[in-house]
Amino acid sequence: MSNAVTTPLNIIFAGTPDFAAQHLAALIHSEHNIVAVYCPPDKPAGRGKKLTACATKLLALAHDIPVQQPVNFKAEQTQLTLANYQADVMVVVAYGLLLPTVILQTPRLGCINVHGSILPKWRGAAPIQRALEAGDSQTGVTIMQMDKGLDTGDMILTATCDITLKDTSASLYDKLAELGPKALLDTLALMTLGKYQRQAQNNLQATHAAKLDKADAELDWQQPASILDRKIRAYIPWPVAQFTFNDNSQQHRIRVWQASVIELEHQHLPGTIISCDKQGIVVATTANALRLEILQLPGKKALAVADILNGKADWFTQGQSINRLVQPQQELT
C-alpha cells in the first residue's frame, strides 16, 4: 500500500538497538513528526566500561530530536513529561522497558509495537532465534496495539518472509529490519485515516520466545543433525553454539559458526568423528551427521576447519569422540 499520509502524526518513539534505529530512521524520513525519542539510560560498554549511548539515541541526537532516558515510568513526573509531548501515538520497537497502563493510554491513539514474529507465535524476548531454532518455514513482523500483556495486543498489520536453510539469526534480523519499517509506515498511514482494523490474537496458538541464555548454546550430540544445525544458525551472532572438547591435557570450549547436515546412515556413537578433511569435521549424531565447517578456538578468531587442521590436526582424528574425557590424573587448565 502507499505510505502517503493526509495528516502527519506526532510520534513518540521508544527503542534501543540498531533494529529499532532502522525503524526510527524510516520515521525521520517520513512526513510524520518525531516529538521525542525514549531509550534506556546509557550503559557501560567495552573494556573501559565507558558509558555508551544506544543506536537509537545516537540517531535521535544527530537529528536534534529530544531524548528521554527514564529508568522506568513509575514516577509521576516521568509520566507527566511524556504526556506533555501530546503525541498522537507512541511507536515501540525493541525498547526493553515495560510500559504501565497509564503510559499505554496517554497518546491519543495509544501505543503500537513492532514485534519480530508472526503473532501469536513467539511472543517474548527472542522471537527471531526461537523461530529459526524451531524449524519454522516463515517469520515476519507484526504491528500490534499494545496492551498490558507481553506481546498480547490486537494485531493491526503483519508482513512475512521465508526462512531458508541457510538463514542465521543475523540474516533474519536483516530481513526483518527491511520488512519492519515499511510495515510500520503502512500501519501509520492506516491510523491517520482512522479506519484501521484490529484483530485479536488467538491465545491458544501462542508460543513463548524465551530470552537466550549462554547455557542454551551447548551442543548435544544425542540430538539429530537437523536440530543441531538449526541451533547453530539460531545462535549466530550470540551466544554462538559450542561444545566442550578435551585434547587429553586441557579442556576447550569451541564455538561453531558454520555447519551443515550430512545425510548419512551410520552405526557410530553420537559425538564420534566419522571423517575429517579440509571440507570439515563430520560428527555422528542420533540421525545423520553434522559437518563442522567454521570453528572458533578459545582466544582465537573463527576459521575454516581446513585452516584449523593445519595447526591442530592431532586434535580431530577419525574414530575419536569429540567429547572424549580427560584422564582423571590430568588437571584441567
Side-chain angles (χ1 to χ4, degrees):
M1 65 171 289
S2 171
N3 289 328
V5 297
T6 55
T7 304
L9 297 172
N10 291 325
I11 297 172
I12 292 174
F13 184 88
T16 305
D18 180 70
F19 184 75
Q22 293 188 54
H23 289 75
L24 175 58
L27 293 177
I28 289 172
H29 293 99
S30 73
E31 298 179 33
H32 300 292
N33 304 314
I34 314 302
V35 297
V37 165
Y38 277 71
C39 59
D42 297 353
K43 295 182 178 180
R47 292 183 178 179
K49 298 299 181 182
K50 180 180 179 181
L51 287 179
T52 303
C54 65
T56 305
K57 178 181 178 179
L58 294 175
L59 181 60
L61 294 178
H63 290 271
D64 297 320
I65 301 172
V67 174
Q68 299 290 339
Q69 297 179 270
V71 175
N72 54 51
F73 289 92
K74 295 179 180 179
E76 184 177 345
Q77 183 57 51
T78 301
Q79 298 171 9
L80 181 61
T81 297
L82 188 142
N84 285 339
Y85 284 115
Q86 298 183 326
D88 294 305
V89 64
M90 184 170 178
V91 173
V92 181
V93 186
Y95 183 27
L97 289 183
L98 292 176
L99 303 184
T101 301
V102 63
I103 297 298
L104 295 175
Q105 296 176 347
T106 294
R108 180 174 64 87
L109 298 172
C111 301
I112 62 173
N113 175 249
V114 180
H115 185 71
S117 79
I118 305 172
L119 289 171
K121 290 192 71 174
W122 305 123
R123 297 171 176 171
I128 296 174
Q129 295 90 338
R130 298 306 182 189
L132 204 162
E133 185 179 20
D136 292 356
S137 61
Q138 275 195 328
T139 187
V141 293
T142 303
I143 315 295
M144 66 176 172
Q145 191 83 40
M146 296 179 69
D147 60 18
K148 62 182 181 180
L150 178 63
D151 302 324
T152 57
D154 291 348
M155 301 176 292
I156 302 173
L157 188 148
T158 300
T160 64
C161 68
D162 292 334
I163 299 177
T164 73
L165 296 179
K166 295 295 184 181
D167 270 322
T168 65
S169 287
S171 65
L172 281 184
Y173 180 101
D174 290 340
K175 288 182 181 181
L176 299 192
E178 184 175 344
L179 274 182
K182 183 180 184 303
L184 174 60
L185 293 178
D186 287 345
T187 299
L188 294 173
L190 292 172
M191 297 182 84
T192 62
L193 300 175
K195 298 180 180 179
Y196 65 100
Q197 297 182 341
R198 293 163 47 170
Q199 179 183 352
Q201 295 186 40
N202 184 342
N203 292 328
L204 296 178
Q205 297 177 353
T207 54
H208 179 60
K211 183 179 179 180
L212 294 182
D213 187 276
K214 287 184 178 180
D216 296 337
E218 183 73 24
L219 293 177
D220 179 2
W221 304 107
Q222 299 290 334
Q223 293 183 319
S226 58
I227 291 179
L228 295 175
D229 173 62
R230 294 201 304 263
K231 188 170 189 173
I232 289 165
R233 291 185 286 117
Y235 292 178
I236 291 173
W238 192 90
V240 186
Q242 52 196 276
F243 60 92
T244 301
F245 178 79
N246 299 298
D247 70 348
N248 286 332
S249 62
Q250 289 184 318
Q251 191 175 71
H252 310 277
R253 297 289 289 162
I254 299 178
R255 293 180 171 184
V256 183
W257 286 90
Q258 183 176 302
S260 59
V261 175
I262 304 296
E263 295 186 2
L264 177 69
E265 293 186 8
H266 63 80
Q267 301 299 319
H268 298 283
L269 291 175
T272 302
I273 295 178
I274 298 174
S275 65
C276 187
D277 55 34
K278 63 181 181 180
Q279 275 73 45
I281 301 166
V282 178
V283 183
T285 70
T286 52
N288 295 313
L290 190 71
R291 182 167 62 200
L292 309 178
E293 298 165 347
I294 297 179
L295 301 177
Q296 184 178 10
L297 304 185
K300 306 293 184 180
K301 65 180 182 179
L303 293 172
V305 162
D307 296 322
I308 290 176
L309 292 179
N310 286 335
K312 300 291 184 182
D314 59 320
W315 279 21
F316 308 102
T317 58
Q318 183 177 352
Q320 78 175 58
S321 172
I322 206 163
N323 285 330
R324 71 181 188 273
L325 296 176
V326 175
Q327 296 301 318
Q329 69 271 21
Q330 294 173 324
E331 183 178 349
L332 296 180
T333 59

